[in-house]
Amino acid sequence: MRAYNFCAGPAALPTAVLEKAQAEMLDWHGKGLSIMEMSHRSKDYVAVAEKAEADLRKLMNIPENYKVLFLQGGASLQFSAIPLNLLGKNSKADYIHTGIWSEKATKEAQRYGDINVIEAGTTVDGKMAISDQSTWNLSDDAAYVHYADNETIGGIQFANIPETDKPLVADFSSSILSAPLDVSKFGLIYAGAQKNIGPAGLTIVIVRDDLLDQAKPEIPSILKYAAQAKNDSMVNTPSTYAWYLSGLVFEWLLEQGGVDAIYKANLAKAELLYGYIDSSDFYANPIAKANRSIMNVPFTLANPELEKQFLKEAEENHLLNLAGHRSVGGMRASIYNAVPLEGVQALVNFMDGFAKRNA
Ligand SMILES: *Cc1c(COP(=O)(O)O)cnc(C)c1O
């Protein structure tokens, strides 16, 4: 049986997608070989790659003047690729700090330019929150403004897209495709695939055309967006299987009714879980309501000594990977697109039973 998997990443994939991949594994579309064994330059593979891009464009309503790149190295390599590509003409950038991932992005960028760090963490009634933009000290001459839409570890998410006349660069690793998004507000959006898209090994970069010509000359060609765009993300061999499987996830999302429909489902899941946590004295979530992540729900137990027992019993109940990140402890349920409402309901039922048994 398949358990409910609340892993933060690599994360749950839709069962229907895995079944399709399984059915196509040995003999893809009657060609006598698997997709993994095909040249990335073959007509068949290129068609798979192009279909995945077209479906992602449809799902996110990506305007014509944006390139969609299918890269490797994870979101973490983009922490370097972004400054190397975008700090060529002006080596200043603003980085908004809301948690561990935006901080890691900042640390890498500081190797390449003059980075203005904006501390946006605050508290509201004792809960962690993101401060109002009016309190931020944005520079007037930044080449771009960077932020992480959803801090996967802290479970804190922006309620709005920051306003700026500079190119806005955003890490959407754990929130891409979870809710409708106006791509035209951004200069660049990036996301590692292994949270809310597909297998690890693929990184999506959506970049506006006018940002392609300002890379630093010493940039490795694999990291250069202009070179990758010109070569259809095939400057070298791409992560072909992850790209194919992500394409199956995009088809699955379209079948679900697209991003609007999955957003509704995600809201229902988040409301169910946060609603239960708020109603209980046994569990607590540390984030102010306006900034609660709809994808990653951290929670603590009133008695931390019960954490091990909680995790053990959860696993016995086929509820997997609920431990919080090693840096923060506690619990975390990641409820990405592929986690169904029934999974969240099963989690809430288990949490309620556990609380009653240990009251
Ligand atoms: C997971 C994650 C990353 C790092 O992703 P890798 O693909 O492992 O490099 C960066 N940012 C956010 C928001 C993440 O959730």
Side-chain angles (χ1 to χ4, degrees), residues 108-131:
E108 286 298 314
Q110 282 167 334
R111 295 148 56 89
Y112 305 104
D114 177 7
I115 304 301
N116 174 37
V117 182
I118 291 136
E119 189 49 64
T122 186
T123 52
V124 172
D125 299 331
K127 299 260 188 186
M128 286 160 67
I130 296 173
S131 62

Side-chain angles (χ1 to χ4, degrees), residues 1-280:
M1 75 164 278
R2 278 179 54 77
Y4 291 120
N5 181 11
F6 299 95
C7 192
L13 286 164
T15 300
V17 165
L18 295 177
E19 282 168 345
K20 175 133 200 235
Q22 181 182 45
E24 295 183 340
M25 175 68 84
L26 296 183
D27 180 8
W28 182 86
H29 293 206
K31 303 284 173 160
L33 77 176
S34 81
I35 197 98
M36 270 182 273
E37 302 165 292
M38 265 178 213
S39 163
H40 56 295
R41 309 211 183 269
S42 65
K43 222 172 90 217
D44 285 334
Y45 188 81
V46 168
V48 167
E50 286 176 351
K51 169 84 167 27
E53 178 180 336
D55 285 347
L56 181 60
R57 283 183 176 276
K58 202 181 300 169
L59 282 164
M60 293 184 70
N61 205 6
I62 299 173
E64 286 282 318
N65 61 324
Y66 287 74
K67 297 286 187 287
V68 179
L69 307 177
F70 290 76
L71 306 178
Q72 300 185 59
S76 299
L77 190 54
Q78 292 307 310
F79 296 165
S80 297
I82 288 161
L84 283 167
N85 275 282
L86 304 186
L87 286 180
K89 286 183 183 159
N90 165 4
S91 67
K92 285 185 79 171
D94 287 343
Y95 272 67
I96 300 166
H97 180 212
T98 52
I100 289 170
W101 288 116
S102 51
E103 185 179 4
K104 288 197 179 195
T106 305
K107 288 236 163 81
E108 286 298 314
Q110 282 167 334
R111 295 148 56 89
Y112 305 104
D114 177 7
I115 304 301
N116 174 37
V117 182
I118 291 136
E119 189 49 64
T122 186
T123 52
V124 172
D125 299 331
K127 299 260 188 186
M128 286 160 67
I130 296 173
S131 62
D132 193 86
Q133 179 171 349
S134 61
T135 65
W136 301 349
N137 206 356
L138 293 166
S139 359
D140 354 313
D141 55 350
Y144 62 91
V145 178
H146 177 280
Y147 77 107
D149 172 62
N150 181 53
E151 285 283 0
T152 318
I153 294 171
I156 193 163
Q157 184 164 24
F158 278 77
N160 306 103
I161 299 171
E163 293 284 338
T164 170
D165 56 354
K166 307 291 182 301
L168 190 58
V169 173
D171 181 352
F172 269 81
S173 290
S174 49
S175 51
I176 191 168
L177 292 167
S178 66
L181 187 66
D182 181 355
V183 174
S184 73
K185 294 222 156 121
F186 294 86
L188 187 150
I189 290 168
Y190 65 106
Q194 72 273 20
K195 312 281 171 59
N196 209 22
I197 299 181
L202 178 71
T203 311
I204 302 289
V205 173
I206 302 166
V207 55
R208 211 172 59 211
D209 286 343
D210 62 285
L211 298 174
L212 292 175
D213 68 344
Q214 53 200 59
K216 288 182 188 286
E218 69 272 23
I219 188 173
S221 32
I222 282 181
L223 297 188
K224 190 171 174 177
Y225 300 140
Q228 290 288 10
K230 188 160 161 258
N231 290 281
D232 301 318
S233 307
M234 295 189 188
V235 166
N236 70 331
T237 314
S239 192
T240 55
Y241 194 75
W243 190 335
Y244 150 81
L245 205 108
S246 297
L248 296 186
V249 173
F250 300 150
E251 286 175 3
W252 175 83
L253 277 172
L254 287 166
E255 282 162 22
Q256 306 307 302
V259 173
D260 287 334
I262 211 79
Y263 177 53
K264 271 199 198 126
N266 287 335
L267 281 184
K269 283 149 48 184
E271 275 163 24
L272 175 60
L273 184 49
Y274 284 115
Y276 173 69
I277 291 170
D278 289 344
S279 75
S280 152

